[in-house]
Amino acid sequence: MFTQFHKENPMSNNANDIRTALARAVAQRQVPDDTIDKMASQIAGARFPIRKIDICTMGICIDYFLEGDQWWTKLPELINIEGGELQGIEIFPYGIPFPDLHHVRVIQRFGAVPGLGG
Amino acid sequence: MSKSGSSRAGFLPARVIQLHPSRFCNLACRHCYSASGPHLRGGLTATEVLSALEILQGEGYEVLSLSGGEPLLYAGFETVVRGAAELGFRVNLITNGAPVGGRLLDLIAHYINLIAISLDGAPPLHAELRGDKNAFVHAERAMDRLAATGVRYGLAYCVSRESLADMPWAVEFAQAQGAALVHFHPFAAVGRGRSMGERLSLSETDKARAYLVASLLQTDTAPGVQIDLAPIEAVRTEQEDYTLLGPAAAPDAPLSDLINPLVIDETGRLLPFCYGLNPEFAIGQIGPRLPAELERYKTSSLPTVQTLLNSAFAQLNVGNKQFIDWYYHLVETSYTVEQLQRLR
């Protein structure tokens, strides 16, 4: 479904265009309810604040901020994606100003989300 | 926490008074949460409002958000925004846009920090729900005038079952018009909207769609995008933002530490959190007895609002909720099942 939208919109050549095309497909109910429900249960069940939902070449990304000196112990919970397929995880330490703050991006494959291409 | 407003209270970073001074409006929208309209005269006087604001400024509130009714048609508008600004409030308002122009535009430019134009969907749906074929034209004209005057403004877009599909359009439209932000708020079946629930309410899957769409529309180039829906687990984990209402609630704490936002409705009633909340939870009434009523509330009535919050958090576990409009949820929780049935 997502790939189809991308093909129908040849100007969709940057990340913002792709995000908008995907937003339109979701809003206009062209992505099936069960796909939305799977994404919803993952997002709604997240025990850590979601900072952003994004897309990238690998799939749908959910960005979190983890704090504290035991931040890494929370990773298993983040990557346990029920009904989905983990494609990757990226960790960005914030560095000197916020030594205990880490931006963690969990990427789920498009193909693991029926209706979003892949 | 302090009266400076430098720390959080509730889920909000600023301490906000939502003022609904009158239900008078040029429109009678079919889903209006306050059931406002052209025949509803009356409301609060500017003197009453300013007396209350002076007291509440001392309770730590720092933002005044004007709604209604149509706030630009409120007889005391100029006196209230001028006085509120002099008291140090940042003043925001939400309007349908029709009155924006002339002297009101000058007042907006001078006193208003942020103005939101309300939209209910793409032009045909907006016009139908507003009961005015020119409603969208008026909103668009207001945006043009605000942009030409250099006023920062945003769109307040009601996401309903029928307007969900046009959320991306709303952001593209806002971007083309030069709006600074788009605030998506889910349709709430309150006020006149209670009779529209079957047609306009979002299903749980629709709420998930709306949340996902809003998230995807937050791009580098678009206006700021915000939605009044939160993942349910995130709401649970932020429960500690209300800890001041726990057993240790201090009677000497400023009201803004305890109740945020604070609502003043068109009858002068002070309500916690949200317009339309069960009046049984009222804090007091603007007027000469307000300081004493606030004192009494802080010393003896806080457990009732604490009970309401505890119920609201407990209700998160009921049904298959995944995303929640917290303030609408509080309104629903504040009524018994029998009371809700009577309201419907």
Side-chain angles (χ1 to χ4, degrees), chain B residues 13-97:
Chain B
R15 287 121 198 281
V16 180
I17 298 170
Q18 292 175 1
L19 173 64
H20 304 254
S22 158
R23 285 165 63 203
F24 177 64
C25 186
N26 54 311
L27 301 174
C29 303
R30 297 179 64 187
H31 62 321
C32 181
Y33 68 95
S34 60
S36 297
H39 305 297
L40 291 158
R41 303 277 170 175
L44 306 174
T45 67
T47 307
E48 288 173 319
V49 171
L50 287 176
S51 298
L53 290 183
E54 193 170 351
I55 294 163
L56 295 170
Q57 193 262 349
E59 295 288 341
Y61 292 98
E62 55 197 353
V63 174
L64 177 67
S65 183
L66 274 162
S67 184
E70 169 52 57
L72 293 175
L73 298 178
Y74 167 53
F77 174 74
E78 179 171 352
T79 309
V80 165
V81 294
R82 192 191 298 271
E86 284 168 3
L87 284 168
F89 283 95
R90 296 199 306 277
V91 185
N92 302 331
L93 70 83
I94 183 164
T95 172
N96 61 50

Side-chain angles (χ1 to χ4, degrees), chain B residues 208-278:
Chain B
R209 283 185 190 279
Y211 183 85
L212 197 52
V213 169
S215 300
L216 288 166
L217 291 171
Q218 287 164 355
T219 66
D220 299 335
T221 56
V225 173
Q226 181 186 337
I227 186 162
D228 289 344
L229 281 173
I232 206 150
E233 199 56 41
V235 173
R236 281 198 192 97
T237 58
E238 292 185 15
Q239 185 167 359
E240 65 186 32
D241 288 330
Y242 282 108
T243 48
L244 268 181
L245 282 168
D252 58 345
L255 188 67
S256 67
D257 273 4
L258 309 166
I259 303 295
N260 188 31
L262 174 72
V263 175
I264 304 176
D265 73 13
E266 71 282 354
T267 68
R269 192 165 43 202
L270 273 65
L271 287 162
F273 310 130
C274 194
Y275 186 91
L277 203 88
N278 191 333

Side-chain angles (χ1 to χ4, degrees), chain B residues 281-331:
Chain B
F281 292 94
I283 294 164
Q285 185 80 21
I286 68 171
R289 292 201 304 273
L290 182 59
E293 288 179 343
L294 295 184
E295 208 57 43
R296 191 182 64 230
Y297 184 79
K298 285 195 271 186
T299 52
S300 62
S301 299
L302 284 175
T304 60
V305 77
Q306 185 194 340
T307 302
L308 169 64
L309 286 166
N310 290 344
S311 299
F313 281 108
Q315 286 289 321
L316 296 178
N317 301 319
V318 177
N320 62 342
K321 301 183 191 80
Q322 291 186 306
F323 296 87
I324 197 135
D325 174 352
W326 174 246
Y327 293 108
Y328 177 50
H329 178 64
L330 280 177
V331 170

Side-chain angles (χ1 to χ4, degrees), chain A residues 29 33, chain B residues 161 164 200-209:
Chain A
R29 299 182 174 86
D33 280 359
Chain B
R161 189 178 297 175
L164 189 153
L200 298 180
S201 288
L202 297 172
S203 67
E204 291 303 315
T205 302
D206 279 345
K207 287 179 192 168
R209 283 185 190 279

Side-chain angles (χ1 to χ4, degrees), chain A residues 51-71:
Chain A
R51 297 298 166 178
K52 192 174 181 183
I53 296 172
D54 207 343
I55 56 169
C56 66
T57 53
M58 289 190 286
I60 289 189
C61 317
I62 301 180
D63 291 0
Y64 304 88
F65 281 158
L66 297 185
E67 292 180 271
D69 57 1
Q70 297 289 306
W71 63 272

